Amino acid sequence: MKYFLTGLILVFICSVAFAQNINKEAYKRYVTIEKYDQPMEGFIIFNNGKKEDVKIKYEEPYMLFDGQLPLITYHKKNKEKLFIKSKLAGFFVNDRLYVREFFEGDSNRWVMVVREGAIRESIVLQPNIPYDRPEYYSVNRLVTNTISLKAFSVGRLAINFGLNMSSMIFDYSELNTKVRDAEEGYKFLNYQQIVARYNMWFNSKRPDVVYYMLPRPDYQKFIEN
């Protein structure tokens, strides 16, 4: 019975981790297809933290996520102005925040933010056809410690969860112990609540370290719900 339950749990974890790549309609929760190519109100944030309200051309995900392609904006008399994405820390369009995320190995990528914090939750919409207009996108969820630059996909986080999550919250010893000991409420299925607890703690200890582009999330409310 013990081995059966263990196997059942592993199957469930794998289904949670990889189902996001099976549903070809899942990505539509994060985009508005009928608004492609339209100018929309938003803002950009430069690497120095300066914010500028602009109209942004809302493009397909493969274009917005591509750091090599410029961000198209509109200014006076709807004149186009292109911004090289490497000059930007982030931009906001269609009620979604996109940021340039750095992670281990001097690498970076553009992600769509789910929740900001010392540990950021985000997604990347991966086109099924690289460098071309795709038929659909797979939804890849990520967690990244923006201070240590430790990052995991949710699928990878699920494998050996205690060790992987511990490497992201090592400086919060009390929370770290609960995760390593696999206490009830501190397992993989609770990873978002664990991240929220860590972010609350980090903000209380180092309140001015993390720069929030949007209003700071109510982590306590998220944990309680």
Side-chain angles (χ1 to χ4, degrees):
M1 177 63 72
K2 177 180 178 181
Y3 293 107
F4 173 77
L5 290 176
T6 301
L8 192 61
I9 292 172
L10 286 174
V11 169
F12 178 75
I13 289 175
C14 289
S15 66
V16 170
F18 299 111
Q20 56 190 358
N21 294 323
I22 297 173
N23 185 354
K24 295 180 180 181
E25 299 293 312
Y27 80 95
K28 293 181 180 179
R29 296 197 298 267
Y30 305 98
V31 302
T32 309
I33 295 174
E34 58 269 21
K35 293 183 179 179
Y36 286 164
D37 298 324
Q38 294 184 24
M40 301 186 69
E41 298 291 342
F43 62 78
I44 56 177
I45 296 181
F46 295 93
N47 289 328
N48 62 7
K50 179 184 176 182
K51 177 181 175 182
E52 181 178 333
D53 292 327
V54 295
K55 286 186 177 180
I56 297 173
K57 184 178 182 180
Y58 182 59
E59 299 185 284
E60 285 208 36
Y62 78 94
M63 302 180 76
L64 293 179
F65 282 101
D66 191 335
Q68 303 302 312
L69 296 178
L71 185 71
I72 301 174
T73 65
Y74 300 91
H75 295 256
K76 293 181 179 179
K77 297 183 180 179
N78 287 327
K79 185 177 180 180
E80 281 191 4
K81 183 176 181 180
L82 307 184
F83 285 95
I84 299 173
K85 290 197 181 91
S86 62
K87 304 293 185 182
L88 303 176
F91 59 90
F92 184 83
V93 63
N94 197 35
D95 293 324
R96 297 287 183 180
L97 176 64
Y98 299 77
V99 301
R100 187 157 59 103
E101 177 180 85
F102 296 88
F103 57 103
E104 294 172 308
D106 293 326
S107 300
N108 67 84
R109 61 192 162 202
W110 281 88
V111 301
M112 180 189 292
V113 176
V114 175
R115 258 179 299 278
E116 293 184 275
I119 295 181
R120 177 190 293 129
E121 295 178 70
S122 62
I123 66 170
V124 171
L125 301 181
Q126 188 70 35
N128 72 307
I129 305 174
Y131 313 114
D132 200 353
R133 177 164 290 188
E135 299 171 2
Y136 64 91
Y137 297 83
S138 59
V139 180
N140 300 288
R141 301 189 71 92
L142 311 170
V143 287
T144 305
N145 187 311
T146 60
I147 309 302
S148 69
L149 306 186
K150 192 78 173 179
F152 292 96
S153 68
V154 170
R156 186 179 166 207
L157 184 70
I159 302 170
N160 203 354
F161 174 73
L163 181 62
N164 290 338
M165 180 56 82
S166 177
S167 69
M168 303 187 76
I169 61 171
F170 64 92
D171 48 342
Y172 185 1
S173 58
E174 182 181 351
L175 182 63
N176 193 12
T177 298
K178 292 178 182 294
V179 170
R180 291 296 295 268
D181 291 345
E183 292 188 17
E184 191 62 35
Y186 295 88
K187 301 176 184 179
F188 169 67
L189 294 181
N190 315 108
Y191 83 88
Q192 290 183 309
Q193 286 76 22
I194 294 169
V195 168
R197 293 180 190 278
Y198 178 85
N199 286 337
M200 284 182 60
W201 171 85
F202 190 94
N203 288 338
S204 69
K205 297 296 182 182
R206 304 169 68 183
D208 300 321
V209 172
V210 178
Y211 174 70
Y212 287 83
M213 299 184 188
L214 296 177
R216 186 175 296 188
D218 187 343
Y219 297 116
Q220 185 61 50
K221 183 177 181 179
F222 177 77
I223 293 169
E224 292 172 353
N225 292 337

